[in-house]
PDB file of all heavy atoms in Angstrom:
ATOM      1  N   ALA O1095      20.643   6.169  16.256  1.00 71.00           N
ATOM      2  CA  ALA O1095      19.401   6.650  16.854  1.00 71.00           C
ATOM      3  C   ALA O1095      19.587   7.768  17.887  1.00 71.00           C
ATOM      4  O   ALA O1095      18.595   8.350  18.332  1.00 71.00           O
ATOM      5  CB  ALA O1095      18.691   5.455  17.528  1.00 71.00           C
ATOM      6  N   LEU O1096      20.860   8.086  18.216  1.00 77.00           N
ATOM      7  CA  LEU O1096      21.124   9.151  19.138  1.00 77.00           C
ATOM      8  C   LEU O1096      20.761  10.512  18.542  1.00 77.00           C
ATOM      9  O   LEU O1096      20.769  10.689  17.350  1.00 77.00           O
ATOM     10  CB  LEU O1096      22.604   9.104  19.555  1.00 77.00           C
ATOM     11  CG  LEU O1096      23.088   7.903  20.300  1.00 77.00           C
ATOM     12  CD1 LEU O1096      24.576   7.961  20.540  1.00 77.00           C
ATOM     13  CD2 LEU O1096      22.334   7.737  21.592  1.00 77.00           C
ATOM     14  N   SER O1097      20.489  11.435  19.448  1.00 75.00           N
ATOM     15  CA  SER O1097      20.053  12.787  18.970  1.00 75.00           C
ATOM     16  C   SER O1097      21.304  13.667  18.689  1.00 75.00           C
ATOM     17  O   SER O1097      21.413  14.796  19.253  1.00 75.00           O
ATOM     18  CB  SER O1097      19.168  13.417  20.052  1.00 75.00           C
ATOM     19  OG  SER O1097      19.857  13.520  21.303  1.00 75.00           O
ATOM     20  N   VAL O1098      22.159  13.194  17.873  1.00 83.00           N
ATOM     21  CA  VAL O1098      23.325  13.969  17.426  1.00 83.00           C
ATOM     22  C   VAL O1098      23.415  13.783  15.917  1.00 83.00           C
ATOM     23  O   VAL O1098      22.984  12.795  15.402  1.00 83.00           O
ATOM     24  CB  VAL O1098      24.659  13.470  18.105  1.00 83.00           C
ATOM     25  CG1 VAL O1098      24.595  13.727  19.602  1.00 83.00           C
ATOM     26  CG2 VAL O1098      24.884  12.011  17.807  1.00 83.00           C
ATOM     27  N   PRO O1099      23.951  14.781  15.257  1.00 85.00           N
ATOM     28  CA  PRO O1099      24.134  14.626  13.793  1.00 85.00           C
ATOM     29  C   PRO O1099      24.946  13.390  13.465  1.00 85.00           C
ATOM     30  O   PRO O1099      26.013  13.160  14.089  1.00 85.00           O
ATOM     31  CB  PRO O1099      24.862  15.883  13.371  1.00 85.00           C
ATOM     32  CG  PRO O1099      24.535  16.899  14.423  1.00 85.00           C
ATOM     33  CD  PRO O1099      24.423  16.123  15.707  1.00 85.00           C
ATOM     34  N   ARG O1100      24.507  12.613  12.528  1.00 86.00           N
ATOM     35  CA  ARG O1100      25.178  11.346  12.204  1.00 86.00           C
ATOM     36  C   ARG O1100      26.615  11.538  11.791  1.00 86.00           C
ATOM     37  O   ARG O1100      27.483  10.776  12.078  1.00 86.00           O
ATOM     38  CB  ARG O1100      24.438  10.600  11.098  1.00 86.00           C
ATOM     39  CG  ARG O1100      23.187   9.863  11.567  1.00 86.00           C
ATOM     40  CD  ARG O1100      22.686   8.987  10.445  1.00 86.00           C
ATOM     41  NE  ARG O1100      21.545   8.218  10.875  1.00 86.00           N
ATOM     42  CZ  ARG O1100      20.907   7.320  10.126  1.00 86.00           C
ATOM     43  NH1 ARG O1100      21.382   7.103   8.893  1.00 86.00           N
ATOM     44  NH2 ARG O1100      19.887   6.679  10.556  1.00 86.00           N
ATOM     45  N   TRP O1101      26.865  12.651  11.053  1.00 89.00           N
ATOM     46  CA  TRP O1101      28.206  12.852  10.549  1.00 89.00           C
ATOM     47  C   TRP O1101      29.222  12.967  11.668  1.00 89.00           C
ATOM     48  O   TRP O1101      30.433  12.635  11.460  1.00 89.00           O
ATOM     49  CB  TRP O1101      28.266  14.062   9.619  1.00 89.00           C
ATOM     50  CG  TRP O1101      28.062  15.366  10.333  1.00 89.00           C
ATOM     51  CD1 TRP O1101      26.897  16.059  10.505  1.00 89.00           C
ATOM     52  CD2 TRP O1101      29.051  16.196  10.926  1.00 89.00           C
ATOM     53  NE1 TRP O1101      27.090  17.203  11.203  1.00 89.00           N
ATOM     54  CE2 TRP O1101      28.432  17.350  11.462  1.00 89.00           C
ATOM     55  CE3 TRP O1101      30.470  16.062  11.062  1.00 89.00           C
ATOM     56  CZ2 TRP O1101      29.125  18.366  12.133  1.00 89.00           C
ATOM     57  CZ3 TRP O1101      31.165  17.083  11.721  1.00 89.00           C
ATOM     58  CH2 TRP O1101      30.475  18.196  12.254  1.00 89.00           C
ATOM     59  N   THR O1102      28.783  13.480  12.835  1.00 90.00           N
ATOM     60  CA  THR O1102      29.732  13.611  13.920  1.00 90.00           C
ATOM     61  C   THR O1102      30.192  12.249  14.467  1.00 90.00           C
ATOM     62  O   THR O1102      31.317  12.190  15.011  1.00 90.00           O
ATOM     63  CB  THR O1102      29.078  14.404  15.096  1.00 90.00           C
ATOM     64  OG1 THR O1102      27.930  13.707  15.605  1.00 90.00           O
ATOM     65  CG2 THR O1102      28.660  15.802  14.629  1.00 90.00           C
ATOM     66  N   LEU O1103      29.388  11.224  14.310  1.00 89.00           N
ATOM     67  CA  LEU O1103      29.773   9.901  14.792  1.00 89.00           C
ATOM     68  C   LEU O1103      31.041   9.404  13.997  1.00 89.00           C
ATOM     69  O   LEU O1103      31.926   8.859  14.591  1.00 89.00           O
ATOM     70  CB  LEU O1103      28.638   8.904  14.593  1.00 89.00           C
ATOM     71  CG  LEU O1103      27.332   9.223  15.358  1.00 89.00           C
ATOM     72  CD1 LEU O1103      26.266   8.219  14.921  1.00 89.00           C
ATOM     73  CD2 LEU O1103      27.552   9.211  16.832  1.00 89.00           C
ATOM     74  N   TYR O1104      30.977   9.681  12.682  1.00 92.00           N
ATOM     75  CA  TYR O1104      32.061   9.188  11.822  1.00 92.00           C
ATOM     76  C   TYR O1104      33.252  10.165  11.838  1.00 92.00           C
ATOM     77  O   TYR O1104      34.428   9.735  11.827  1.00 92.00           O
ATOM     78  CB  TYR O1104      31.564   8.939  10.426  1.00 92.00           C
ATOM     79  CG  TYR O1104      30.373   8.011  10.368  1.00 92.00           C
ATOM     80  CD1 TYR O1104      29.071   8.445  10.288  1.00 92.00           C
ATOM     81  CD2 TYR O1104      30.613   6.652  10.436  1.00 92.00           C
ATOM     82  CE1 TYR O1104      28.008   7.564  10.260  1.00 92.00           C
ATOM     83  CE2 TYR O1104      29.539   5.741  10.396  1.00 92.00           C
ATOM     84  CZ  TYR O1104      28.296   6.204  10.328  1.00 92.00           C
ATOM     85  OH  TYR O1104      27.220   5.341  10.313  1.00 92.00           O
ATOM     86  N   ALA O1105      32.940  11.458  11.866  1.00 93.00           N
ATOM     87  CA  ALA O1105      34.015  12.433  11.871  1.00 93.00           C
ATOM     88  C   ALA O1105      34.855  12.308  13.129  1.00 93.00           C
ATOM     89  O   ALA O1105      36.088  12.463  13.088  1.00 93.00           O
ATOM     90  CB  ALA O1105      33.415  13.813  11.794  1.00 93.00           C
ATOM     91  N   SER O1106      34.221  12.047  14.277  1.00 93.00           N
ATOM     92  CA  SER O1106      34.968  11.921  15.522  1.00 93.00           C
ATOM     93  C   SER O1106      35.917  10.688  15.475  1.00 93.00           C
ATOM     94  O   SER O1106      37.031  10.775  15.992  1.00 93.00           O
ATOM     95  CB  SER O1106      34.019  11.816  16.694  1.00 93.00           C
ATOM     96  OG  SER O1106      33.212  10.687  16.589  1.00 93.00           O
TER      97      SER O1106
END
Side-chain angles (χ1 to χ4, degrees):
L1096 296 176
S1097 57
V1098 295
R1100 281 190 178 183
W1101 68 268
T1102 61
L1103 301 174
Y1104 303 100
S1106 61

